[in-house]
Amino acid sequence: MFDRRDSFIAFYDGLRYNNPNNEREKDGIPMDFRQLEAFIATVDHQSFSAAAEALYLSQPTISSYIHSLERELNTQLIRRTTKKFEVTTNGLQLYEYAVALLRLQQK
């Protein structure tokens, strides 16, 4: 169990602090469970609006949560166009960790 936690921490640190200017995110809200829940729901439903409906939130709130995660981790998690929804490699990795973290949090 700790190996998975350590893997998440390494993943998080690697993404968060791996930017061209080597600057840490100075503003914005640090990652929290609401953002992770929104991200999981968005991936599960393959839709921002369906995730919003499932979580009883507005679509702009879901978009804001995803955008905050992407800024904090300094990576694109979801590629979105008007016709296509695609989770990136980093997004899939975060999804696995987020699901595990939320399961632990619910215990």
Side-chain angles (χ1 to χ4, degrees), residues 3 14 17 19 25-26 28 42-44 52 59 67 73 85 87 89:
D3 291 334
Y17 303 122
N19 63 30
E25 184 71 32
K26 293 182 176 98
T42 303
V43 172
D44 286 346
Q59 185 274 326
H67 182 69
L73 295 173
F85 181 99
V87 183
T89 302

Side-chain angles (χ1 to χ4, degrees), residues 16-107:
R16 185 168 186 200
Y17 303 122
N18 186 23
N19 63 30
N21 300 324
N22 201 19
E23 295 177 6
R24 295 183 180 192
E25 184 71 32
K26 293 182 176 98
D27 50 88
I29 299 169
M31 184 186 314
D32 67 18
F33 285 111
R34 290 173 298 175
Q35 291 171 325
L36 293 176
E37 287 172 342
F39 177 68
I40 290 168
T42 303
V43 172
D44 286 346
H45 293 283
Q46 298 284 295
S47 163
F48 286 78
S49 55
E53 188 176 320
L55 295 175
Y56 303 102
L57 297 172
S58 69
Q59 185 274 326
T61 298
I62 296 292
S63 293
S64 175
Y65 284 169
I66 303 300
H67 182 69
S68 292
L69 283 173
E70 290 176 329
R71 279 193 18 225
E72 184 171 349
L73 295 173
N74 194 38
T75 191
Q76 187 174 19
L77 300 171
I78 298 170
R79 283 189 197 94
R80 43 212 177 275
T81 66
T82 55
K83 297 182 180 187
K84 191 173 183 184
F85 181 99
E86 180 183 356
V87 183
T88 65
T89 302
N90 286 332
L92 290 172
Q93 199 170 6
L94 177 62
Y95 177 83
E96 291 176 19
Y97 290 128
V99 168
L101 284 170
L102 288 178
R103 281 188 189 137
L104 288 172
Q105 189 243 1
Q106 292 170 355
K107 286 186 178 184

